[in-house]
Amino acid sequence: MADTAVQPSRSRDLDKLLLRPGNLVGPSFEPGPELREDLKEYAKVLVVGAGGLGCELLKDLALSGFRELEVIDMDRIEVSNLNRQFLFRLEDVGKPKAEVAAKRVMERVSGVNIVPHFCRIEDKELSFFSNFSIIALGLDSIEARSYINAVVCGFLEYDSDDNPLEETVKPMVDGGTEGFKGHARVIMPGLTPCFECTIWLFPPQVKFPLCTLAETPRTAAHCIEYAHLIKWDEVHSGKAFDPDDPKHMKWVYDEAVKRAELFGIPGVTYSLTQGVVKNIIPAIASTNAIISAACAMETLKIASGCSKTLSNYLTYNGAEGLHTKVTEFVKDKDCLVCGPGVLVELDSSLTLEKFISLLEEHPKLQLSKASITHRGKNLYMQAPPVLEEMTRSNLSQPLFELMGKISKDVVHATGTVKKNDTKTSSLRKLRVVFKGVDEVADMDTAGGA
Amino acid sequence: MNRRTRSLHRSSPNRAEPFLKYLKPGALAQIRDSRISARSHRFLSIAQIRSSPPSSPSSTPGQSTVIAMDGFPCFSGRMFGPRCPQRKKLVASKSVLFPSQNPSSPVLDAADPIIDVFSSRDRLTEFQIDSTNTNTLPASKVSLLMLYTTTLVCFAAPSRVVLPLADPDSINGGSTSQIFTSESEMVEPKTKYDRQLRIWGEQGQTALEKASICLLNCGPTGSETLKNLVLGGVGSITVVDGSKVEVGDLGNNFMVDESCVGQSKAKSVCAFLQELNDAVKAKFIEEYPEALIETNPSFFSQFTLVVATQLVEDSMIKLDRICREANVMLVFARSYGLTGLVRISVKEHTIIESKPDHFLDDLRLNNPWPELKRFAESIDLDVLDPVVHKHIPYVVILVKMALEWANKHGGSLPSTREEKKEFKELLKAKMTAADEDNYKEAIEASFKVFAPRGISSDLRQIIDDKSAEVNINSSDFWVMVAALKEFIKNEGGGEAPLEGSIPDMTSSTECYVNLQNIYLAKAEADFLAIEQRVRNILKKIGKDPSSISKAIIKSFCKNSRKLRICRYRLIEDEFNSPLLSELQKYITDEDYSVAVGFYILLRAVDRFAANYNSFPGQFDGAMDEDISRLKTTAVGLLGDLGVNGSTLTEDLISEICRYGAAELHVVAAFVGGIASQEVIKISSGDLSFSKAWIGGSSQLFCHLIWGLSKAFLPHAVVAGIRQ
Ligand SMILES: [Zn+2]
């Protein structure tokens, strides 16, 4: 197997994938050196999270032909990260994850440029996220996923048939792990289900009724949550519980032990206390590696077309034997986040009160007693009474004014819908367009940059 | 780059934020939570949620209050601000969906439970519908106060953590831990390993720390495998590779950098790995694995496990024989273009704590022992006090109702659909108020009454195994199986020893604790009976009667219904006498044909390499010739295997040639990740350490073209690995 004729090249293996034509490839695959160079130059990937998945993702992407990477994470390195977040060492404890991760990968993979952002994702302007070709999520929080998903879906614009404009679709790749299990998915906002479309996939938080904790504790976790959620406030009036303060944790543990003894309940340990209070999810290096690799692979496929993309959700379970499954989920057409919503054309003089009654008559909506919000601001609330009173004065004002005189925007309406004699409450997304206002600026946005 | 990415790149860096400001982080998560678990309405107004102060994604409120008013639920939890500023973690989404209201398959089917459950969209849809129904808001005005707590996944070690602080090797690596010294309780030195200890516990970790692992070839597949193992804290690693680092290696292996070019690859990789965890003893040997296999087979017997990466067939067969003889565990891993494989080769892997995902708890609702029966009889289901009535644990309700049913039906349990329905109706009729959670739980758990008495067919197969006829050479596992067999026949009355734990359920504390003690006492009695039998058997076969510790016997009893045995065929047998019927079946199965095709082709490329001295497509310029040569080779292989009537598609053949034996980093990370996971499972699965996982995945053949079909082969296909 003489290897003499080959020029030494860093992309020796990757070239096979990027330079050669194939039959089992994505529809837009254009193999050649130009593709390899474009990947370096133009494809800009944001990695959200520099934890177990993020560290792997940065390494994987840096070794998959990407050169322009950025990473955002608000956390600092902890000792318990070291069993899987392989870019960190003991002496890094306390330093920002994003910065150390970026530095380590750049040290080892020459030519790669990684910009770290040590901050919360909400601290970034929205334009920050629109800068990237692909966003890869390595998160462990449902809220953060929801946020990014909403931001990215917010970039979507639609044509007159309610189809998303292709240039406004920003692909996301998302991974998650728990113990020996994990998932990897590809989200093409507006085209494939977004995070919210399939949010029911995520297991609900286990919640204990307060009365169980207070009156009929049965398990060690009940005792711990009693100490954590009830006893702490009773004893430390006003002082917030800090799960990262070992003294606080110790206090909760001691109280939980006392309570468990009182009721004859076994099993309260310090480790369990931490687990319950901090909601610790077990995590191991191998699962993170597997899921991140799948995500990085998909990122490369989306960017280059070198193979067929995951469609659209991969579950991995290594807990008992090994099983994977690819499921093609379908988009929720009424999704409040990635769906187009219902288009409503209005006169700029229409009052909020008229608007609300119009929703009741609208054939697609038939929404009665609606409460209205715009960009998080309550325009009118039917309940509770205190909010109703606060927002009542808006009813007589024109909606156009209340929405800050923008020619078109989204509002959300909650109300009740009558179906077969039963009333159900319903939350709808509405794309409001005011007739005859600022059409020119409107066209500009729709045309895209 | 293709058009899509280019256009994506161009797309408006400063596009105005159209409609998303409304959505503050966490808002939708909260909706989701309320949708699924708080029995509030399915749809909640974001507006109402927003009526409270916003919070960052890292600080979810510890509490949320749902107050329903005229069908208009609203969240006001945040009015009081976050009670515990903690991050609500998440995780892989639920891979297995079991609507708890409707456990459609309470007892696992033997064959392939996970795949079965995972898959079907039908089931997913069912789940959605269910949740809609059950989440409809009760008509009355309710105030539900729900508290978040955690999703406890698996706290493997309920006992407190005691670790040797004085271990000189680990003191540098893992000693930055918070230590509390009050009353000698809860010392937690291994903060570093906390997240994995929560999975496999102290015993699993100890087992891992005893593992001595040898890696053959440290390309990216091998390096990534070891990386995950070193991070987890295996005892020692030995990296064997004879090659020098080339420029091309810099593009696919993170463990080497520019300064390593021209140096020993084994040395470079080993140095980086050592950096990850100094508690691990790392060494390297600059030698080609093939040479060791040929000239120094006894070399391998010093390890507990060998990870062999990127070996071709001929070497695999030889190494497999060597390791089998020396009783060394062996894991093969190979990355090839967008495909790869992981193959375990171990003579027998016995598992006590298999920790299956879903397993029917051991409550004996339809077969209560005297103490449980007596306890149930002491409780009056028709008690008048409503508070007492709604705190009778469902176990008591079901035991009583099952007894009543059996009395009326000549000792038999509800078995037909109508009978089961009738049984549930009887339960419903016992309710005195709509809010009696204990009765709702009883109705939901009624399937546990319908489960057959006695042991499962899986367990039957194990106690009937030839190895259960023990002698002096039998392992501890089989000695205990022999004792179990006797127990089932005698004291057990057809049942295995009681597990002894009960799930949480609505109950008064007193009643719950009493019930728990009744289960514990029975489990203890069963354990003592088994222990006695174990000691007797040990004596009878000429072994030290105390050679198996109490703790292990206890764990064995607790897990006796979940015992697992995996036996793996020799690689040679797999190659020379495959399970033809399986192979034939899957090669024509639309879902699996691609994976089977790659399996065949990966074997064909080794034949190709043996004949032509290079892999197909390894060098540019000979592609067409290689494609036709590979085709001929593959057809020959299929003929030799005895597979007929099936052909490999041209697409697949040219795809494998396109790969040209490339070892891509992401594929290596994927395959290496799986290999390391399997190593952990089989390393901690030895009998002497009771924590174990099923290392059932004997051979996985995977491809990463998710668009095509099922990416993995079912175990049975490839080889009939499990005998
Ligand atoms: Zn959506």
Side-chain angles (χ1 to χ4, degrees):
Chain A
M1 284 177 232
D3 202 346
T4 44
V6 181
Q7 284 277 32
S9 155
R10 230 168 221 287
S11 56
R12 175 190 67 195
D13 295 71
L14 203 55
D15 279 356
K16 303 246 169 45
L17 205 62
L18 298 179
L19 271 50
R20 297 171 167 187
N23 299 334
L24 304 175
V25 296
S28 55
F29 186 47
E30 290 170 15
E34 199 199 331
L35 172 62
R36 183 183 61 201
E37 298 312 311
D38 283 357
L39 212 54
K40 286 184 194 163
E41 203 172 332
Y42 298 116
K44 207 167 161 187
V45 181
L46 174 67
V47 174
V48 185
L53 292 165
C55 284
E56 289 281 341
L57 277 169
L58 286 172
K59 173 205 71 175
D60 292 345
L61 293 170
L63 291 174
S64 297
F66 295 95
R67 196 178 257 176
E68 297 298 327
L69 303 172
E70 303 200 11
V71 58
I72 180 166
D73 196 307
M74 61 176 281
D75 283 339
R76 293 175 183 275
I77 297 161
E78 294 173 29
V79 176
S80 63
N81 299 149
L82 301 178
N83 81 323
R84 61 198 186 283
Q85 300 175 15
F86 72 100
L87 296 173
F88 310 142
R89 309 283 174 265
L90 197 56
E91 61 270 22
D92 299 324
V93 169
K95 294 180 194 161
K97 286 184 177 180
E99 289 169 11
V100 177
K103 183 173 144 258
R104 286 277 140 75
V105 175
M106 284 195 288
E107 276 167 12
R108 298 204 66 84
V109 185
S110 66
V112 161
N113 182 34
I114 305 177
V115 182
H117 302 270
F118 171 47
C119 62
R120 306 188 315 163
I121 46 177
E122 321 86 285
D123 293 344
K124 287 289 177 191
E125 292 293 323
L126 297 170
S127 58
F128 170 77
F129 297 99
S130 69
N131 255 324
F132 300 94
S133 349
I134 301 170
I135 298 180
L137 307 180
L139 290 163
D140 60 3
S141 130
I142 202 167
E143 292 83 3
R145 277 192 183 93
S146 270
Y147 181 77
I148 301 271
N149 183 68
V151 169
V152 172
C153 290
F155 295 139
L156 282 174
E157 291 184 18
Y158 304 87
D159 64 17
S160 51
D161 297 326
D162 280 355
N163 294 315
L165 301 174
E166 201 193 326
E167 68 272 17
T168 66
V169 175
K170 188 178 295 301
M172 282 184 285
V173 176
D174 171 56
T177 72
E178 176 173 339
F180 283 103
K181 298 177 194 168
H183 78 259
R185 72 190 298 184
V186 170
I187 297 175
M188 295 286 184
L191 302 171
T192 68
C194 82
F195 181 64
E196 300 297 340
C197 286
T198 53
I199 195 140
W200 49 270
L201 276 168
F202 290 88
Q205 300 272 341
V206 175
K207 298 168 185 180
F208 301 134
L210 198 60
C211 56
T212 296
L213 303 189
E215 289 157 25
T216 57
R218 300 175 296 271
T219 65
H222 291 156
C223 298
I224 293 163
E225 282 297 44
Y226 171 80
H228 167 218
L229 297 170
I230 297 173
K231 194 77 194 245
W232 177 272
D233 282 355
E234 275 176 26
V235 175
H236 307 81
S237 57
K239 189 161 135 201
F241 174 80
D242 176 5
D244 293 323
D245 185 334
K247 280 193 225 90
H248 290 196
M249 193 61 80
K250 173 74 167 56
W251 187 90
V252 167
Y253 166 72
D254 287 339
E255 287 301 317
V257 167
K258 276 186 223 161
R259 190 162 176 83
E261 275 168 10
L262 186 69
F263 284 93
I265 295 166
V268 175
T269 62
Y270 188 70
S271 171
L272 182 69
T273 306
Q274 281 191 311
V276 170
V277 172
K278 295 170 97 171
N279 196 6
I280 294 173
I281 305 292
I284 53 175
S286 56
T287 317
N288 283 326
I290 294 162
I291 295 302
S292 303
C295 289
M297 185 77 239
E298 292 311 316
T299 310
L300 176 62
K301 286 197 240 169
I302 294 168
S304 69
C306 69
S307 185
K308 299 195 175 184
T309 326
L310 171 64
S311 176
N312 44 36
Y313 197 105
L314 166 81
T315 41
Y316 175 90
N317 186 345
E320 197 182 346
L322 194 160
H323 299 281
T324 64
K325 168 80 187 163
V326 176
T327 310
E328 192 169 356
F329 285 113
V330 286
K331 205 159 76 86
D332 175 1
K333 65 177 186 353
D334 294 326
C335 178
L336 294 169
V337 180
C338 72
V342 176
L343 186 66
V344 196
E345 285 188 295
L346 303 172
D347 277 326
S348 57
S349 60
L350 189 85
T351 63
L352 179 57
E353 188 164 27
K354 282 263 172 59
F355 175 66
I356 290 172
S357 59
L358 193 139
L359 297 180
E360 195 160 359
E361 293 149 22
H362 195 289
K364 275 192 185 166
L365 294 166
Q366 297 183 308
L367 202 63
S368 54
K369 280 188 154 183
S371 296
I372 310 292
T373 52
H374 173 241
R375 298 193 176 205
K377 206 173 96 198
N378 300 321
L379 300 187
Y380 181 69
M381 303 297 295
Q382 304 270 1
V386 61
L387 278 175
E388 196 280 334
E389 211 183 308
M390 276 167 61
T391 52
R392 197 182 300 156
S393 61
N394 286 342
L395 285 174
S396 57
Q397 293 190 49
L399 183 62
F400 183 61
E401 305 277 329
L402 290 168
M403 286 171 63
K405 298 187 183 180
I406 312 170
S407 67
K408 61 171 198 177
D409 206 351
V410 165
V411 299
H412 286 84
T414 323
T416 47
V417 181
K418 219 171 157 183
K419 220 184 232 173
N420 311 330
D421 279 347
T422 52
K423 280 185 182 173
T424 50
S425 131
S426 164
L427 169 57
R428 302 298 298 262
K429 174 177 174 180
L430 311 174
R431 262 156 64 214
V432 172
V433 175
F434 292 102
K435 281 181 268 188
V437 181
D438 209 6
E439 283 295 343
V440 184
D442 203 42
M443 290 304 289
D444 266 353
T445 335
Chain B
M1 203 174 340
N2 67 81
R3 234 160 280 114
R4 152 148 288 166
T5 328
R6 282 178 192 140
S7 66
L8 283 170
H9 175 71
R10 267 188 270 114
S11 76
S12 64
N14 286 315
R15 186 178 300 282
E17 64 268 54
F19 26 78
L20 48 96
K21 271 271 164 82
Y22 77 92
L23 233 191
K24 279 293 173 190
L28 278 159
Q30 207 160 13
I31 294 185
R32 188 277 325 223
D33 268 357
S34 58
R35 235 190 252 171
I36 297 177
S37 54
R39 286 180 206 117
S40 73
H41 209 282
R42 185 145 190 237
F43 299 99
L44 278 171
S45 149
I46 287 183
Q48 287 159 335
I49 291 169
R50 293 285 303 123
S51 65
S52 49
S55 75
S56 87
S58 61
S59 58
T60 320
Q63 174 194 24
S64 60
T65 317
V66 184
I67 307 165
M69 284 177 293
D70 296 330
F72 248 89
C74 83
F75 268 77
S76 55
R78 283 172 183 172
M79 295 289 194
F80 313 104
R83 292 189 61 161
C84 51
Q86 78 201 38
R87 181 180 299 237
K88 285 301 165 190
K89 301 271 180 165
L90 149 124
V91 287
S93 70
K94 218 171 192 173
S95 51
V96 183
L97 290 162
F98 260 118
S100 61
Q101 304 90 338
N102 179 20
S104 34
S105 66
V107 186
L108 291 184
D109 303 327
D112 228 356
I114 308 296
I115 277 197
D116 185 45
V117 180
F118 252 66
S119 54
S120 46
R121 271 230 219 107
D122 296 355
R123 186 140 358 189
L124 302 180
T125 327
E126 204 175 281
F127 175 79
Q128 271 182 307
I129 295 164
D130 272 349
S131 60
T132 326
N133 289 340
T134 50
N135 288 334
T136 317
L137 193 75
S140 61
K141 293 190 180 186
V142 242
S143 169
L144 274 175
L145 195 61
M146 303 299 283
L147 295 169
Y148 286 94
T149 69
T150 152
T151 334
L152 297 185
V153 187
C154 169
F155 288 92
S159 57
R160 78 192 131 105
V161 180
V162 184
L163 273 168
L165 264 175
D167 181 357
D169 281 325
S170 64
I171 220 122
N172 293 329
S175 60
T176 320
S177 44
Q178 305 145 358
I179 298 167
F180 297 101
T181 43
S182 93
E183 302 158 352
S184 79
E185 254 297 343
M186 85 317 102
V187 188
E188 198 151 39
K190 294 245 162 157
T191 315
K192 184 167 82 175
Y193 296 137
D194 179 81
R195 296 303 183 268
Q196 64 198 48
L197 287 172
R198 286 172 194 277
I199 302 179
W200 52 68
E202 282 301 303
Q203 293 102 317
Q205 188 65 30
T206 311
L208 213 54
E209 284 167 18
K210 283 183 186 166
S212 156
I213 292 169
C214 172
L215 171 71
L216 303 184
N217 288 326
C218 61
T221 309
S223 301
E224 291 295 316
T225 309
L226 275 201
K227 180 200 79 195
N228 302 328
L229 294 171
V230 167
L231 288 166
V234 293
S236 72
I237 57 161
T238 304
V239 181
V240 178
D241 194 312
S243 65
K244 306 276 188 220
V245 177
E246 295 170 18
V247 174
D249 298 328
L250 304 180
N252 72 0
N253 194 341
F254 194 76
M255 314 289 152
V256 295
D257 64 14
E258 273 165 339
S259 68
C260 306
V261 175
Q263 295 193 34
S264 157
K265 201 189 280 179
K267 182 183 169 193
S268 307
V269 167
C270 186
F272 183 85
L273 289 170
Q274 182 69 80
E275 221 181 277
L276 295 176
N277 190 346
D278 50 17
V280 175
K281 297 184 191 77
K283 58 180 181 178
F284 69 94
I285 294 170
E286 197 177 347
E287 173 72 274
Y288 286 97
E290 292 81 1
L292 273 180
I293 293 169
E294 291 296 336
T295 61
N296 191 5
S298 64
F299 168 82
F300 298 99
S301 58
Q302 61 184 298
F303 305 102
T304 57
L305 191 147
V306 175
V307 178
T309 67
Q310 307 299 90
L311 287 189
V312 294
E313 268 192 26
D314 179 49
S315 304
M316 281 173 79
I317 291 172
K318 285 177 185 156
L319 179 66
D320 188 41
R321 262 197 242 118
I322 294 168
C323 289
R324 196 56 79 93
E325 222 156 88
N327 208 14
V328 173
M329 294 185 279
L330 179 57
V331 174
F332 292 104
R334 187 163 183 195
S335 308
Y336 196 101
L338 294 179
T339 74
L341 72 78
V342 175
R343 164 75 146 100
I344 296 171
S345 185
V346 177
K347 190 175 178 196
E348 179 180 275
H349 178 215
T350 54
I351 301 151
I352 297 175
E353 289 193 29
S354 60
K355 298 183 182 173
D357 257 351
H358 299 280
F359 209 81
L360 194 61
D361 30 31
D362 196 10
L363 296 176
R364 306 281 164 88
L365 298 175
N366 56 26
N367 197 8
W369 62 98
E371 288 79 9
L372 178 60
K373 204 169 151 185
R374 221 173 296 136
F375 180 72
E377 278 163 356
S378 73
I379 291 170
D380 178 11
L381 290 191
D382 300 319
V383 62
L384 288 176
D385 184 340
V387 177
V388 177
H389 193 266
K390 70 180 202 183
H391 282 100
I392 301 171
Y394 82 73
V395 164
V396 171
I397 297 172
L398 289 177
V399 166
K400 288 182 81 106
M401 296 297 282
L403 280 170
E404 201 176 293
W405 179 281
N407 284 341
K408 281 186 190 153
H409 294 82
S412 56
L413 298 166
S415 60
T416 65
R417 191 183 249 198
E418 285 72 35
E419 284 175 338
K420 289 175 182 174
K421 209 176 145 198
E422 194 189 332
F423 186 78
K424 287 186 193 176
E425 289 302 324
L426 287 173
L427 288 169
K428 220 174 267 173
K430 287 276 178 194
M431 287 174 87
T432 55
D435 67 335
E436 293 190 310
D437 287 336
N438 55 337
Y439 276 91
K440 286 179 201 158
E441 289 169 11
I443 294 166
E444 274 170 25
S446 57
F447 71 91
K448 297 177 186 175
V449 171
F450 312 147
R453 301 175 177 125
I455 62 168
S456 69
S457 56
D458 281 357
L459 184 55
R460 168 70 53 199
Q461 216 177 333
I462 292 174
I463 61 175
D464 288 344
D465 193 284
K466 262 209 196 109
S467 305
E469 292 156 25
V470 291
N471 56 49
I472 185 125
N473 298 315
S474 296
S475 68
D476 290 354
F477 178 86
W478 287 110
V479 169
M480 290 190 285
V481 170
L484 173 67
K485 188 175 185 173
E486 293 179 6
F487 175 90
I488 293 169
K489 217 185 281 171
N490 297 289
E491 306 91 296
E495 299 274 4
L498 187 78
E499 200 172 305
S501 55
I502 55 173
D504 185 26
M505 63 193 80
T506 301
S507 165
S508 67
T509 304
E510 192 195 356
C511 200
Y512 183 83
V513 171
N514 285 341
L515 201 58
Q516 213 171 24
N517 287 335
I518 289 167
Y519 276 84
L520 267 179
K522 164 75 171 155
E524 179 69 14
D526 286 356
F527 154 71
L528 290 173
I530 293 257
E531 190 192 13
Q532 194 53 50
R533 291 189 177 278
V534 169
R535 308 278 176 233
N536 289 343
I537 292 171
L538 284 169
K539 205 162 163 187
K540 205 162 66 196
I541 60 176
K543 280 186 154 183
D544 175 6
S546 62
S547 62
I548 306 179
S549 78
K550 253 187 193 314
I552 286 177
I553 300 174
K554 200 156 225 171
S555 169
F556 181 88
C557 288
K558 204 173 158 49
N559 294 285
S560 59
R561 295 180 314 138
K562 304 167 192 166
L563 303 176
R564 292 280 186 280
I565 299 158
C566 304
R567 291 167 177 151
Y568 303 95
R569 292 179 81 192
L570 277 166
I571 297 281
E572 196 172 7
D573 294 343
E574 174 197 326
F575 285 171
N576 296 336
S577 46
L579 290 191
L580 259 188
S581 57
E582 293 287 335
L583 209 52
Q584 197 98 46
K585 184 173 109 200
Y586 285 101
I587 204 165
T588 49
D589 182 317
E590 205 182 309
D591 278 342
Y592 291 105
S593 61
V594 173
V596 180
F598 277 133
Y599 168 72
I600 303 285
L601 283 173
L602 202 63
R603 295 191 48 194
V605 299
D606 283 356
R607 275 200 184 187
F608 185 107
N611 287 337
Y612 304 105
N613 224 22
S614 75
F615 288 102
Q618 191 172 0
F619 305 109
D620 292 324
M623 196 59 91
D624 289 343
E625 192 184 3
D626 281 2
I627 289 175
S628 75
R629 279 176 169 175
L630 179 63
K631 197 174 169 182
T632 314
T633 310
V635 167
L637 175 67
L638 283 172
D640 291 353
L641 291 174
V643 178
N644 45 45
S646 52
T647 47
L648 295 161
T649 66
E650 298 279 343
D651 280 354
L652 229 47
I653 292 168
S654 47
E655 179 75 358
I656 252 299
C657 289
R658 167 166 90 119
Y659 298 156
E663 196 177 356
L664 299 162
H665 179 78
V666 275
V667 178
F670 190 88
V671 169
I674 293 172
S676 60
Q677 200 161 87
E678 293 307 311
V679 168
I680 286 168
K681 287 192 257 176
I682 57 175
S683 295
S684 57
D686 194 278
L687 181 62
S688 48
F689 325 109
S690 58
K691 303 282 171 194
W693 293 86
I694 291 218
S697 26
S698 49
Q699 168 146 357
L700 300 154
F701 188 81
C702 56
H703 69 77
L704 278 84
I705 313 172
W706 310 116
L708 285 185
S709 71
K710 293 233 164 56
F712 285 82
L713 280 188
H715 311 144
V717 177
V718 181
I721 12 79
R722 296 206 210 173
Q723 290 167 342

